């Protein structure tokens, strides 16, 4: 029997053990579950060629039955829609043939594939109206390392994506849940790598024949995923780099809402932007203290800052654990997947416009804004320089978002120089912003009169930073545009 190609649409939810137990004892889940003990072996080459290509290969044992599954496990956030190829196999080894993309990827060397990690799992399964609900408890084991699994999956059997989100909201009313962004395959490969650390924004896999709507959906989901991966680490370990990346993810998503604003005909993006601004500000209270601590020498002055930072991280944990934040992420995931922006007649032409054409227009517009805003930079007041910095960030994120749409060698070379000049300008303006904000932060901590405070807010240093920013601006203006 050959592999059957199909498309899976599912929504992942992460939850705590007490939430899982509460849900099982509630009347929300329909009837008694079917309980299945699962044991799966995931396969790849020693160089992880399948994973790098966005594919996963497993053989799962359910009793005496063996099912081989190949999935296109591209990065997702909340809503996973991915092709899969499934077939029964006689034993625990996979069958590699032309019915899946693997043979084409590996060419003449399919024998290089071997087991890389296992997943042991107890699955409880309920079948609702149009949705199959599963609760998975288990572990992933790679060598002498392992991590636990506790997640729900809502798989669409009938209807549309709104059906999945309606069920997710019913679950969220009963017990706290978070949008899931990682497949078991992704978690297994992460387990095989270095210890968990902050996740930087990755390249968004846009393609030249994509529409504007397709590109926005990919970009917005990438931002949501970027946030969730770092949020988890902040909650677990108060990781300073993860907090910074969580804030970067929020800024990137807010920028995407601005860059694509003509795609939306209602006020929903404004509401999301306001909520994201609130979340960024709450996380920023701890981030500001991280930055301030980096300028202080060991001693009582630093100790005061670190005490305040500990309190700020406690507050960050409460904010991230709040119903408001969890609801915001679920709302965003649903709107990206099923929002009215996908069917508005008013914006139809723009939705169907080629993404590359749209990207060039957006990049040109924001470059003009940065160029105009930075003229006579030395004479700008602090507020104007701060506004210039925010515009430069939007341009930088746009250059990142749309990079895959300009893949030619000349375009890549120009983009490298353009982004380097833009980054330098951002860094100089960012240093100025930190310096300008320091007095207010020190006053809030009651440290304005400390001797160490004078070195942080020195006026002479500000003049040097303004000169450096002005020089960086001139270099940016001279950088060639990669989209022309």
């Amino acid at each position: 029997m050959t592999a059957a190609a199909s498309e899976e649409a599912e929504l992942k939810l992460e939850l705590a053990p007490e939430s899982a137990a509460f849900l099982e004892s509630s009347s929300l889940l329909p009837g008694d579950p079917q309980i299945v003990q699962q044991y799966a072996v995931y396969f790849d080459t020693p160089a992880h060629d399948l994973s790098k290509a966005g594919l996963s290969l497993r053989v799962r044992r359910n009793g005496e039955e063996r099912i081989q599954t190949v999935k296109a496990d591209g990065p997702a956030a909340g809503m996973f829609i991915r092709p899969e190829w499934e077939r029964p196999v006689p034993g625990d080894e996979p069958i590699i043939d032309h019915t899946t993309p693997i043979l084409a990827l590996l060419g003449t060397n399919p024998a290089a594939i071997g087991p890389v990690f296992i997943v042991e799992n107890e699955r409880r399964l309920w079948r609702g109206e149009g949705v199959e609900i599963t609760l998975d408890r288990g572990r992933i084991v790679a060598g002498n390392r392992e991590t636990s699994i506790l997640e729900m999956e809502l798989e669409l059997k009938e209807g549309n994506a709104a059906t999945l989100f309606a069920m997710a909201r019913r679950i969220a009313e009963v017990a706290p849940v978070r949008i899931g962004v990682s497949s078991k395959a992704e978690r297994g490969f992460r387990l095989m790598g270095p210890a968990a650390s902050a996740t930087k924004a990755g390249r968004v896999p846009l393609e030249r024949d994509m529409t504007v709507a397709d590109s926005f959906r990919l970009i917005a989901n990438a931002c949501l995923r970027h946030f969730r991966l770092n949020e988890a680490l902040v909650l677990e370990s108060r990781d300073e780099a993860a907090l910074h990346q969580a804030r970067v993810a929020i800024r990137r998503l807010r920028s995407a809402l601005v860059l694509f604003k003509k795609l939306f005909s209602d006020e929903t993006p404004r509401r999301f932007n306001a909520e994201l601004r609130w979340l960024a500000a709450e996380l920023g209270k701890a981030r500001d203290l991280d930055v301030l601590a980096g300028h202080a020498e060991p001693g009582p002055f630093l100790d005061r800052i670190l005490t305040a930072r500990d309190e700020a991280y406690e507050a960050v944990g409460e904010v991230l654990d709040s119903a408001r934040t969890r609801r915001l992420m679920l709302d965003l995931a649903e709107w990206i997947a099923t929002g009215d922006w996908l069917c508005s007649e008013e914006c139809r032409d723009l939705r169907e416009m080629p993404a590359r054409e749209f990207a060039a227009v957006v990049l040109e517009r924001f470059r003009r804004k940065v160029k105009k805003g930075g003229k006579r930079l030395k004479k700008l007041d602090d507020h104007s320089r701060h506004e210039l910095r925010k515009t430069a960030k939007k341009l930088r994120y746009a250059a990142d978002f749309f990079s895959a749409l300009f893949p030619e060698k000349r375009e890549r070379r120009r983009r490298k120089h353009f982004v380097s000049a833009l980054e330098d300008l951002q860094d100089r303006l960012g240093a100025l912003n930190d310096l300008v904000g320091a007095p207010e932060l020190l006053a809030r901590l009651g440290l304005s009169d400390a001797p160490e405070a004078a070195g942080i807010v020195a006026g002479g240093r500000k003049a040097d930073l303004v000169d450096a920013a002005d020089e960086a601006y001139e270099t940016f203006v001279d950088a060639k545009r990669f989209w022309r």
Side-chain angles (χ1 to χ4, degrees), residues 2-227:
T2 60
S6 62
E7 195 171 73
E8 175 188 60
E10 67 180 22
L11 186 64
K12 285 183 176 290
L13 301 173
E14 298 176 3
L15 66 171
E18 57 271 21
S19 296
F22 190 75
L23 275 169
E24 286 190 276
S25 65
S26 74
S27 59
L28 176 63
L29 301 176
D32 295 328
Q34 176 185 353
I35 300 176
V36 182
Q37 302 297 329
Q38 297 179 329
Y39 179 90
V41 181
Y42 283 73
F43 296 82
D44 208 332
T45 67
H48 297 172
D49 293 303
L50 301 186
S51 177
K52 290 174 184 176
L55 296 173
S56 66
L57 167 63
R58 74 172 185 232
V59 174
R60 176 182 280 169
R61 184 192 310 160
N62 293 329
E64 295 301 314
E65 185 181 40
R66 306 290 191 277
I67 299 293
Q68 172 182 306
T69 304
V70 176
K71 290 187 180 184
D73 273 336
M79 186 78 178
F80 287 71
I81 301 177
R82 50 195 177 178
E84 67 174 10
W85 296 261
E86 204 166 73
R87 67 185 295 172
V89 288
D92 294 328
E93 294 296 319
I95 295 174
I96 309 300
D97 58 23
H98 290 287
T99 61
T100 77
I102 291 178
L103 195 60
L105 175 67
L106 299 182
T108 59
N109 194 27
I113 287 180
V116 286
F117 58 87
I118 66 170
V119 175
E120 298 174 339
N121 183 50
E122 180 188 87
R123 169 162 288 184
R124 299 192 170 215
L125 187 150
W126 295 262
R127 290 182 173 85
E129 294 183 9
V131 179
E132 184 176 270
I133 306 165
T134 60
L135 176 62
D136 287 344
R137 288 187 180 91
R139 63 177 186 154
I140 303 172
V141 182
N144 60 359
R145 301 173 70 181
E146 69 174 72
T147 187
S148 62
I149 299 168
L150 181 53
E151 64 183 21
M152 297 191 78
E153 294 181 359
L154 312 181
E155 185 173 349
L156 187 64
K157 295 301 183 181
E158 295 178 17
N160 54 38
T163 307
L164 293 181
F165 285 100
M167 176 56 72
R169 291 191 179 283
R170 291 173 62 192
I171 291 170
E173 289 174 1
V174 174
V177 293
R178 285 186 168 86
I179 286 290
V181 297
S182 297
S183 67
K184 293 182 179 69
E186 287 179 272
R187 294 184 62 192
F189 282 107
R190 280 205 296 270
L191 187 63
M192 297 177 69
S197 60
T199 301
K200 292 186 176 181
R203 180 175 179 271
V204 184
L206 304 185
E207 298 176 3
R208 293 185 66 158
D209 60 348
M210 278 185 172
T211 64
V212 172
D214 290 336
S215 66
F216 173 73
R217 179 180 275 174
L218 270 179
I219 288 166
N221 271 326
C223 295
L224 189 56
R225 172 183 167 83
H226 183 200
F227 173 79

Side-chain angles (χ1 to χ4, degrees), residues 366-484:
F366 277 85
R367 181 191 176 274
R368 282 199 306 268
K369 284 188 173 185
V370 175
K371 183 179 178 181
K372 181 179 179 181
K375 283 183 177 179
R376 296 181 293 279
L377 189 147
K378 289 185 179 182
K379 296 183 178 181
L380 295 179
D381 58 26
D382 293 334
H383 175 75
S384 297
R385 278 195 294 265
H386 179 56
E387 291 300 311
L388 172 62
R389 175 173 171 259
K390 291 196 295 186
T391 305
K393 277 186 179 181
K394 292 182 179 68
L395 177 58
R396 165 66 196 288
Y397 295 148
D400 286 348
F401 292 151
F402 298 130
S403 63
L405 299 175
F406 302 93
E408 303 301 326
K409 184 177 180 180
R410 173 174 168 271
E411 293 168 337
R412 293 200 312 271
R413 184 176 63 251
R414 285 190 169 187
R415 180 186 173 276
K416 181 179 179 181
H417 292 304
F418 182 87
V419 169
S420 177
L422 184 54
E423 282 180 338
D424 191 36
L425 176 60
Q426 276 185 263
D427 289 344
R428 305 298 184 184
L429 293 170
L432 271 167
N433 191 64
D434 290 341
L435 187 67
V436 169
E440 181 182 343
L441 182 55
L442 289 167
R444 195 162 68 240
L445 297 174
L447 294 172
S448 298
D449 296 331
E452 296 90 341
I456 293 177
V457 297
R461 181 165 169 251
K462 181 177 181 181
D464 292 340
L465 289 174
V466 170
D467 287 341
D470 186 59
E471 184 178 337
Y473 168 79
E474 295 299 335
T475 302
F476 161 76
V477 170
D478 290 339
K480 292 181 179 179
R481 286 159 273 191
F482 63 90
W483 57 91
R484 296 179 65 176

